Amino acid sequence: MNRIYYLIIFLLISSPFQAQTDLLIPYPHSIEIGEGQFRIKDGFSFKIIGSVKSERVNQALVNFGKRVAWYTTRRIDWLDMEDEGAGLTVSFNQTIQLSDHIDESYMLEVNHAGMNLTANTDIGILRGLETLIQSIGQDETGFFIPEMKIQDHARFAWRGLLVDVCRHFMPLDVLKRILDGMAHCKMNVFHWHLSEDQGFRVESKLFPKLHTLGSDGMYYTQDQVRDIVQYANLKGIRVVPEFDMPGHTTAWMVGHPELASAPGPYKIERYFGVFDPTMDPTKKSTYKFLEKWIKEMAELFPDAYFHIGGDENNGKQWDDNPSIQAFMKRNKLQDNHALQNFFNQKLHAILKKNGKQMMGWDEILQPGLDTSVVIHSWRGKEYMYLAAQKGYRSVLSNGYYIDLSYPAAHHYLNDPLPSDNPLSIEEQKRILGGEATMWSELVSPENIESRIWPRVAAIAERLWSPAHHRDTDNLYLRLQKLDKWLELSGSHHVRNRDYMIRRLSGEINPNILSSFLDWVEPLEGYKRHGSTPRYSSKTPLSRPVDAALLDAPASIKWRAMRAEFKQKEDWLVEYKKDLQIVLQLAPIWSREFSTSSALNQLLPLIEHLNDAAMIGMMMIESIEKNKQNMQQLAGWKQMLTSTKRATDELEIILPDLLLEMYVRSME
Ligand code: ACM
């Protein structure tokens, strides 16, 4: 391997210096920066002022101290109440129970002598500590936090992440690390998607056949559930369980075929999509079962909300069952929507009896549904608005489907309440917030974290920060820097991916594959689901497409570079440098990948990337001569189209990046 290679790898990943506080994410509501600094030295200390006790704050401070010590390599001390002159003092008025209307605000004041973090609640302290850690800067003599005053609070009360542990089971340590990252990004709802066609993931002591026969042994014991709930609670995160009903229920039927609308036997589903098994809403025994089981689950999950799914019921088993058809006639239920609505109302009554508020996907919005039910919009924002207009509270996930490999900016710009929203002030109050959804058909315990981070931080900011933050170039600048804080908080998204790349590389230098993956992304939308052979839960998710990031490093870098676009005289230099790097690496990629059976299918992509880079050099030449026009743009677009052919479910990103660069040069 020659030296030029290492130099170009370095150039590819390095980027310009930026003040640490400009890079905060989620960005605070108000921030004033002073001239001075608080320097972090050996013996940096912190203490809690006041008599209110909070296990959350105690643990958060220990965790904060550990992170500061690791990052700065300075020794951290705890002080007793009586000791003078702490580096950081923390004070708050009350310890609270988590709910969907808590005060998470905080105030942070830093001057050269010390730092004060104050909040009304202990949760506010947790949020403030995450801002503080991201504010640590470094210069040639050491580490510091700039003099500043921050006042901050949440824009939306519900800032969630759904994790699907059914299509692929996620072990406890993975979930805890995801919770660490959520806490770092000030997210506060862990939506735990726990039952599906592919698995029933929670131990039931009353109906053990649910988890023993419905999970291949991959389920959470009740003690493990309590452990996760407690872990999340200490980080200020609520746990909302989802048990999808009446569809998406094949795994229930394996042990309990009597719940279904057609005779069994049933097997755990190995493929992905929408399947026929559906609960029978016409039998009293179904509700007897659910009464007992919901009571058991309601005790296990302390949050006020209980998500019943309710999506994608294809109704086939209902259509084919004469006794269900007769029931519908007898009860004047006109269609399957009406029958599902009948079922939902029964579920609502059971949940209410158990002190729970029902939540479900937007299909459940049907006439007569109690307005205490929360509608979770996934098919379109219009359902969320409709729900709010009809008096329902609502949470947005449409536009936050992070499994679909859209750029982070796509999610970032998706505001639950944009300025042109159709709702009245009263209706707007019913929009609780949003949730990113990590569906796991194509996600393993190994790569789930790199699918989530750093991109979910874009959604976290949308839901926490003032609505006017919409600069996507600046977003990428900040996402680029967030990895180190997420890692410091516990996330394995970088190290797991490094291992995937090393494993895939076999005999070749992993930097070679890594530098190639900088330029490719998995296909967007649902295209990967259409590939052959069809994906199943048995497909190993260990190919290059599984290691490729959903926002490729080069796409984050190029979009971040646009933050300074044209402010610099020589703004094209960096782009040209990257294209030259691609052109220099292409023969190395080709030579090395052709020796590897795991990688040789990538060869056509290298050719496309090389072609696109050559076209890019021509585009830059034309920009340098100031010859851009719309006709030329159309020409470049056409030339680049031929380089966009996907291989092995991967696509090169350079054509899109080049066109974005060209368009920007015309502005
Ligand atoms: C869903 O994505 N079916 C809620």
Side-chain angles (χ1 to χ4, degrees):
M1 192 50 36
N2 51 26
R3 240 180 311 157
I4 173 83
Y5 175 74
Y6 286 109
L7 176 68
I8 54 194
I9 295 276
F10 169 75
L11 289 172
L12 205 59
I13 54 176
S14 65
S15 53
F17 177 77
Q18 195 83 18
Q20 208 59 47
T21 40
D22 291 344
L23 299 173
L24 292 172
I25 184 164
Y27 205 76
H29 281 249
S30 147
I31 175 164
E32 292 165 40
I33 305 287
E35 295 285 306
Q37 292 164 349
F38 175 84
R39 305 293 303 189
I40 300 173
K41 305 203 178 96
D42 263 335
F44 167 71
S45 58
F46 48 85
K47 71 174 175 188
I48 301 170
I49 295 181
S51 56
V52 185
K53 297 271 176 282
S54 165
E55 183 57 21
R56 289 191 192 112
V57 169
N58 288 347
Q59 290 216 6
L61 274 172
V62 169
N63 185 266
F64 173 79
K66 183 185 80 182
R67 285 183 286 164
V68 174
W70 276 352
Y71 188 67
T72 65
T73 70
R74 302 298 186 265
R75 199 189 74 241
I76 308 295
D77 291 336
W78 269 99
L79 290 187
D80 290 327
M81 289 275 285
E82 304 76 47
D83 293 343
E84 289 293 315
L88 168 67
T89 57
V90 163
S91 58
F92 57 101
N93 300 327
Q94 50 176 323
T95 298
I96 53 168
Q97 267 211 329
L98 297 180
S99 76
D100 60 354
H101 50 267
I102 56 172
D103 180 354
E104 297 174 87
S105 65
Y106 65 92
M107 194 164 82
L108 192 50
E109 281 182 280
V110 179
N111 62 39
H112 71 280
M115 306 186 281
N116 287 312
L117 173 59
T118 53
N120 183 26
T121 70
D122 56 342
I123 303 297
I125 297 297
L126 269 49
R127 307 300 179 235
L129 286 173
E130 300 308 317
T131 303
L132 193 52
I133 199 126
Q134 279 188 7
S135 305
I136 301 176
Q138 185 177 176
D139 58 21
E140 63 282 7
T141 59
F143 296 85
F144 63 89
I145 296 183
E147 247 180 34
M148 60 182 179
K149 185 167 176 184
I150 289 180
Q151 284 183 299
D152 203 8
H153 63 272
R155 179 175 169 219
F156 289 103
W158 194 298
R159 305 178 308 280
L161 172 64
L162 174 153
V163 177
D164 170 7
V165 297
C166 301
R167 274 57 177 256
H168 284 94
F169 181 71
M170 299 296 156
L172 283 200
D173 61 325
V174 173
L175 297 184
K176 286 186 178 176
R177 291 198 300 268
I178 291 172
L179 289 164
D180 294 340
M182 288 176 67
H184 183 61
C185 295
K186 303 181 170 53
M187 299 181 84
N188 64 4
V189 178
F190 176 59
H191 174 157
W192 206 354
H193 184 80
L194 284 162
S195 71
E196 260 302 338
D197 299 303
Q198 295 81 3
F200 188 99
R201 303 294 184 199
V202 177
E203 176 189 24
S204 169
K205 298 206 193 271
L206 295 180
F207 301 102
K209 281 194 278 185
L210 283 173
H211 66 276
T212 53
L213 299 181
S215 76
D216 301 305
M218 288 182 284
Y219 63 89
Y220 307 100
T221 64
Q222 295 203 353
D223 280 344
Q224 288 173 327
V225 169
R226 278 187 279 270
D227 181 30
I228 287 289
V229 168
Q230 160 82 349
Y231 191 88
N233 184 304
L234 284 169
K235 291 181 180 272
I237 299 171
R238 296 160 44 214
V239 176
V240 174
E242 178 188 350
F243 294 96
D244 209 343
M245 296 176 265
H248 283 286
T249 44
T250 310
W252 302 59
M253 316 309 192
V254 183
H256 289 278
E258 74 280 7
L259 290 172
S261 303
Y266 291 90
K267 287 198 301 215
I268 294 176
E269 183 55 58
R270 304 299 174 191
Y271 290 96
F272 307 123
V274 175
F275 302 95
D276 298 346
T278 307
M279 287 180 177
D280 187 339
T282 67
K283 286 198 294 210
K284 288 212 168 70
S285 57
T286 302
Y287 301 107
K288 272 203 182 125
F289 180 102
L290 289 174
E291 286 252 7
K292 289 188 194 149
W293 174 80
I294 285 176
K295 182 169 187 299
E296 183 185 18
M297 291 300 118
E299 284 164 10
L300 186 59
F301 292 94
D303 198 75
Y305 290 87
F306 195 101
H307 201 301
I308 58 105
D311 58 319
E312 297 184 310
N313 169 15
N314 72 10
K316 286 213 179 108
Q317 285 197 339
W318 293 355
D319 296 339
D320 295 344
N321 181 326
S323 112
I324 292 180
Q325 292 303 310
F327 178 92
M328 287 168 73
K329 242 193 210 131
R330 259 197 327 276
N331 290 278
K332 300 199 170 42
L333 298 165
Q334 308 256 314
D335 55 19
N336 288 339
H337 296 302
L339 180 56
Q340 186 165 343
N341 199 22
F342 170 88
F343 174 73
N344 289 339
Q345 301 204 14
K346 295 269 194 195
L347 275 187
H348 177 255
I350 299 172
L351 286 167
K352 195 169 169 191
K353 207 158 94 183
N354 285 283
K356 297 292 180 190
Q357 303 203 35
M358 184 164 121
M359 179 166 182
W361 299 107
D362 53 39
E363 284 98 327
I364 71 169
L365 184 58
Q366 295 290 334
L369 187 73
D370 194 276
T371 49
S372 68
V373 176
V374 174
I375 304 298
H376 194 168
S377 147
W378 75 281
R379 292 179 301 169
K381 212 184 258 181
E382 63 273 23
Y383 293 102
M384 182 180 77
Y385 292 144
L386 186 67
Q389 284 160 342
K390 286 176 180 287
Y392 297 89
R393 288 165 306 148
S394 191
V395 168
L396 182 67
S397 276
N398 176 264
Y400 296 140
Y401 269 45
I402 54 166
D403 55 318
L404 299 186
S405 195
Y406 294 126
H410 165 86
H411 304 301
Y412 185 61
L413 294 177
N414 181 39
D415 195 316
L417 284 174
S419 52
D420 61 353
N421 76 78
L423 302 182
S424 69
I425 301 288
E426 210 43 47
E427 289 160 354
Q428 288 183 30
K429 287 187 195 148
R430 299 188 188 124
I431 306 301
L432 300 178
E435 276 186 16
T437 53
M438 184 72 271
W439 298 108
S440 68
E441 286 92 341
L442 305 182
V443 169
S444 71
E446 187 175 44
N447 74 357
I448 187 168
E449 288 166 86
S450 69
R451 293 292 186 246
I452 293 174
W453 309 118
R455 53 211 317 272
V456 162
I459 299 170
E461 169 155 301
R462 176 57 47 231
L463 299 172
W464 175 279
S465 305
H468 64 79
H469 288 281
R470 295 183 65 79
D471 180 339
T472 55
D473 298 343
N474 179 268
L475 168 76
Y476 283 113
L477 200 61
R478 291 179 294 140
L479 287 184
Q480 212 178 20
K481 307 293 173 147
L482 188 65
D483 281 339
K484 70 168 183 279
W485 301 125
L486 286 164
E487 283 194 282
L488 191 65
S489 302
S491 177
H492 283 189
H493 66 295
V494 178
R495 72 171 83 168
N496 280 3
R497 178 168 179 266
D498 283 350
Y499 173 55
M500 292 178 84
I501 290 174
R502 274 189 281 122
R503 193 176 57 216
L504 271 165
S505 296
E507 300 301 315
I508 69 174
N509 184 325
N511 289 337
I512 298 175
L513 176 58
S514 178
S515 63
F516 173 76
L517 291 177
D518 281 353
W519 294 96
V520 294
E521 285 175 2
L523 289 175
E524 284 182 357
Y526 290 100
K527 285 187 214 141
R528 289 189 65 199
H529 288 276
S531 64
T532 18
R534 200 171 155 204
Y535 273 100
S536 82
S537 49
K538 293 178 180 169
T539 312
L541 298 172
S542 56
R543 290 155 53 217
V545 70
D546 303 301
L549 295 176
L550 307 186
D551 287 281
S555 88
I556 292 189
K557 183 191 170 191
W558 275 44
R559 287 165 177 155
M561 279 185 337
R562 292 193 317 210
E564 328 188 289
F565 209 79
K566 280 184 147 179
Q567 284 162 15
K568 289 197 301 196
E569 191 69 5
D570 57 350
W571 61 273
L572 279 171
V573 169
E574 196 68 21
Y575 291 87
K576 219 191 283 185
K577 220 162 29 184
D578 275 359
L579 295 180
Q580 278 160 349
I581 289 169
V582 168
L583 292 171
Q584 282 170 340
L585 285 175
I588 301 175
W589 291 329
S590 292
R591 190 187 66 217
E592 301 287 326
F593 293 177
S594 61
T595 68
S596 156
S597 68
L599 304 176
N600 61 14
Q601 74 280 16
L602 302 174
L603 292 175
L605 285 171
I606 300 173
E607 226 170 278
H608 298 329
L609 192 48
N610 191 69
D611 291 349
M614 285 202 288
I615 297 169
M617 291 302 262
M618 292 192 281
M619 292 169 79
I620 287 181
E621 201 175 306
S622 133
I623 296 170
E624 280 173 337
K625 291 184 183 148
N626 260 324
K627 282 197 177 153
Q628 309 95 299
N629 60 48
M630 292 308 285
Q631 201 182 346
Q632 278 219 353
L633 174 64
W636 296 124
K637 208 181 238 172
Q638 194 172 13
M639 279 176 83
L640 286 166
T641 304
S642 63
T643 69
K644 275 203 77 172
R645 280 193 299 269
T647 299
D648 210 30
E649 298 168 45
L650 283 167
E651 210 166 31
I652 60 166
I653 51 166
L654 194 50
D656 289 345
L657 295 178
L658 286 169
L659 290 171
E660 286 172 20
M661 172 193 76
Y662 193 85
V663 169
R664 187 56 77 88
S665 78
M666 293 166 72
E667 285 166 4

